[in-house]
Amino acid sequence: MTSQDFSQTDRAASLRALSDQCFDLLVIGGGITGAGVARDAAMRGLSVALIEAQDLASGTSSRSSKMIHGGLRYLVAGDVAVVKESASERATLHRIAPHLAQKTPYVIPTSSVRSKLILRAALWAYERLGGVERADYHEVWSKAELAEKEPLIERSRLNGAVVYPEFLTDDSRLTVATVRSAIDHGATVATYLKATNIRKEQTFSIDAASTLPGETSELTISARAVVNAAGPWVDQVCDLEQPHPPRLALSRGVHLVFNHADLPVRNTVVMRTPDARRIFAVPLGQYTYIGTTDDYHPEHEYWPPVTDQDVTYLLATTQRAMPQAKLSPDRIVSVWSGIRPLVGDGSGRASKELSRKDEVWTSPSGLLSVGGGKLSAYRAMAERVVDTVIENHGFTAKPCETAEVSLPGGDAVMLASDLTGIGDIHAERLARLYGAEAPNLLGNAGGDELVKAEVQQAVQKEGALRLEDYWARRSSRAWFDEGAGLPALNRAAAAMAELLSWDDNRKAMEIENCRDIDRASRAGFSSEVTG
């Protein structure tokens, strides 16, 4: 199927389409959960609308660890069902979007024969539970092999490593691709539109107001069923209908990005922290990122802070594991911090001990809310949610087909070597982000023209309405580009201004907004922090 464009350049038409009919299903929330639900329901033949208060993936779904993994640690915690589903879902995503599920070996150093045996036993169970292909079974490295293959790791107390493959993704682009697929199958989508009230009579009536700068639009959307997939804001959406005790326990995760030359790992290296957690050093193109923290965070923020404590925690663990790495706060290229919408259990346990399993609950009116869940298993979670919607409302629907239909860019494997004339670095990045759509961006795209081509793709095909949407979520330049992508802002803003009819004041405001986000992300920690 040729992917349809997701363009909101005619904003009035985008909003009008939401009030012109009564939908079978309205999804509130444009993160990966809401995107997955909208795509599944639309593919089954339901009439579907999706609204998002900010941009697609603007919350948790652009600030994850960017890993599609089976969650080996959840097996130790007894979450067998979570592990089984996540592990098998990796293969599904690799099939429908190979560019968004790129294989990366995980290297777990071991310090004793006993620890190696325990880890191998867990991996044997993991491989069988997840139906892992034999070619992807784990392997064991001796101490000498570890020295050869990951020379940066301090080995004096190690006896080797256990290595097994997982997958890397671009979480925000996965969300955008999933929404585009929903639109391909008939869904109506609008971003920067916040639900402000929920009423239920014969059907649901949802009042919504624009959050786009300079726009004051308000409208009412009618739907027979509503799914609240607002991530960290799930409780607030529930309160629009009637106040209720909060269900979520929010946790904050922080990641730091360095030039790969400062932390030249060849594979994803798993490191153990003093509080018995695992953090990762992940190579990605010209960069390596480390993360993540896991601390309760009561505030509902799109841009939660990064603190001295966060930076010290991550750097100290990494420096112990790889003392030759050139790490210091002043060498950080970029940082990101996100909120996990975990489901609380009232136990008082640390956030790292809470299950990542998704949970669905229904209000007396029939409003269905989703909390928890893992990026890795978003498709299967969405399938269960849509099954529930269909059963609750007696909808006639086709079987779920989301595991079989490719996402945009995933209908063919695109290699960096297939892209010529732009250099290896640009080619690798375009193939990884855009997959089979990468050649569409090329043309004469080199240097400034490449930024312009990416902006055109973002606005005309991927629903971007603000410079931040392109900088942070369509191109990932905010995390993985020279100077955190700030040098590209003027060029990108000029290209967006042409497409979205911005005047000079609006263009300057959009640039300053991105600069403010970058400044605020660094404001909570000092360049003098040390490990």
Side-chain angles (χ1 to χ4, degrees):
M1 171 183 286
T2 300
S3 179
Q4 294 182 21
D5 296 344
F6 174 31
S7 171
Q8 300 185 90
T9 53
D10 186 345
R11 180 69 169 171
S14 297
L15 300 183
R16 190 164 54 246
L18 288 167
S19 55
D20 281 351
Q21 64 172 297
C22 180
F23 294 91
D24 291 329
L25 173 65
L26 170 68
V27 180
I28 301 175
I32 191 61
T33 300
V37 170
R39 176 180 186 243
D40 191 316
M43 289 180 67
R44 297 204 212 187
L46 303 186
S47 60
V48 177
L50 182 148
I51 61 173
E52 160 58 46
Q54 297 294 316
D55 181 34
L56 300 176
S58 55
T60 308
S61 296
S62 59
R63 257 70 69 74
S64 75
S65 292
K66 308 188 187 301
M67 296 176 180
I68 302 295
H69 62 92
L72 182 62
R73 74 181 182 88
Y74 305 132
L75 186 62
V76 178
D79 279 344
V80 174
V82 171
V83 174
K84 184 175 181 179
E85 181 174 84
S86 297
S88 60
E89 282 296 306
R90 297 177 314 163
T92 297
L93 183 58
H94 189 257
R95 184 172 63 252
I96 65 174
H99 61 303
L100 295 173
Q102 297 194 335
K103 197 173 294 184
T104 176
Y106 274 30
V107 178
I108 307 180
T110 54
S111 57
S112 67
V113 172
R114 181 176 182 273
S115 65
K116 188 174 288 186
L117 287 174
I118 291 173
L119 182 55
R120 294 195 72 189
L123 278 165
W124 278 320
Y126 173 79
E127 288 157 355
R128 283 152 183 77
L129 282 170
V132 176
E133 294 183 7
R134 186 167 294 277
D136 287 336
Y137 278 14
H138 71 277
E139 58 181 295
V140 177
W141 288 355
S142 67
K143 188 172 183 176
E145 287 174 311
L146 180 61
E148 177 189 354
K149 296 176 180 179
E150 283 293 350
L152 201 60
I153 296 175
E154 161 60 37
R155 298 175 299 280
S156 60
R157 298 182 181 180
L158 302 177
N159 70 343
V162 175
V163 184
Y164 71 103
E166 293 281 20
F167 294 90
L168 284 181
T169 191
D170 185 293
D171 47 6
S172 54
R173 290 204 60 81
L174 175 60
T175 304
V176 170
T178 303
V179 167
R180 290 177 65 198
S181 180
I183 292 169
D184 289 344
H185 290 88
T188 301
V189 177
T191 60
Y192 292 97
L193 191 65
K194 182 179 182 179
T196 57
N197 189 36
I198 299 176
R199 304 182 304 279
K200 173 68 182 297
E201 294 178 359
Q202 295 294 90
T203 59
F204 283 97
S205 295
I206 299 87
D207 297 328
S210 173
T211 61
L212 197 63
E215 186 176 85
T216 58
S217 302
E218 296 182 353
L219 67 151
T220 299
I221 306 167
S222 298
R224 299 173 184 87
V226 178
V227 168
N228 168 16
W233 296 270
V234 158
D235 285 325
Q236 279 85 340
V237 171
C238 287
D239 286 343
L240 295 177
E241 187 179 42
Q242 59 182 26
H244 78 299
R247 298 287 294 265
L248 299 186
L250 305 183
S251 166
R252 182 168 54 92
V254 170
H255 297 78
L256 313 177
V257 181
F258 293 88
N259 284 307
H260 186 256
D262 290 340
L263 188 55
V265 293
R266 301 171 182 176
N267 307 279
T268 294
V269 175
V270 183
M271 301 168 286
R272 190 173 180 85
T273 65
D275 58 343
R277 294 184 62 250
R278 305 274 186 183
I279 67 171
F280 305 90
V282 186
L284 186 65
Q286 295 175 279
Y287 302 94
T288 301
Y289 64 92
I290 59 175
T292 176
T293 60
D294 192 349
D295 300 295
Y296 282 123
H297 188 79
E299 302 299 324
H300 303 79
E301 300 173 271
Y302 283 98
W303 299 100
V306 176
T307 67
D308 281 344
Q309 183 179 359
D310 298 323
V311 174
T312 299
Y313 177 85
L314 294 173
L315 291 191
T317 296
T318 308
Q319 206 75 67
R320 276 193 299 271
M322 294 175 278
Q324 300 304 311
K326 299 175 182 178
L327 302 181
S328 61
D330 64 328
R331 301 180 80 93
I332 293 173
V333 174
S334 62
V335 301
W336 74 82
S337 177
I339 303 297
R340 304 177 186 90
L342 306 178
V343 179
D345 63 3
S347 66
R349 294 185 296 169
S351 59
K352 67 179 181 180
E353 297 173 350
L354 292 180
S355 173
R356 268 51 178 174
K357 190 178 188 304
D358 57 277
E359 186 173 320
V360 177
W361 61 95
T362 307
S363 75
S365 72
L367 173 69
L368 191 150
S369 299
V370 188
K374 291 172 81 275
L375 174 68
S376 303
Y378 85 93
R379 191 211 60 82
M381 176 171 59
E383 182 178 348
R384 290 194 300 274
V385 170
V386 176
D387 284 345
T388 301
V389 169
I390 291 169
E391 181 179 355
N392 288 352
H393 295 272
F395 291 138
T396 299
K398 296 180 288 189
C400 176
E401 296 180 342
T402 55
E404 310 304 326
V405 178
S406 296
L407 293 175
D411 50 352
V413 176
M414 177 60 58
L415 303 176
S417 57
D418 296 327
L419 304 174
T420 59
I422 57 171
D424 292 345
I425 292 172
H426 291 313
E428 182 276 331
R429 177 177 167 276
L430 288 183
R432 171 165 43 85
L433 295 182
Y434 298 95
E437 293 186 318
N440 301 339
L441 277 74
L442 291 182
N444 298 318
D448 290 357
E449 289 302 310
L450 182 55
V451 170
K452 184 175 181 179
E454 291 175 357
V455 166
Q456 289 173 337
Q457 172 82 7
V459 172
Q460 296 174 343
K461 296 183 180 296
E462 298 172 350
L465 286 172
R466 301 200 62 184
L467 183 59
E468 171 194 330
D469 303 349
Y470 163 74
W471 171 67
R473 290 176 288 275
R474 303 304 187 278
S475 70
S476 291
R477 289 185 182 272
W479 322 134
F480 305 112
D481 195 17
E482 178 186 357
L486 299 180
L489 289 180
N490 286 334
R491 287 171 285 159
M496 289 196 84
E498 289 184 16
L499 296 168
L500 294 168
S501 302
W502 292 346
D503 61 20
D504 288 345
N505 288 336
R506 175 63 184 273
K507 186 166 64 173
M509 183 199 77
E510 292 289 339
I511 293 171
E512 193 59 25
N513 175 59
C514 295
R515 293 189 178 278
D516 284 345
I517 290 169
D518 181 72
R519 279 192 290 266
S521 74
R522 303 169 191 271
F525 65 90
S526 164
S527 62
E528 281 76 42
V529 175
T530 62

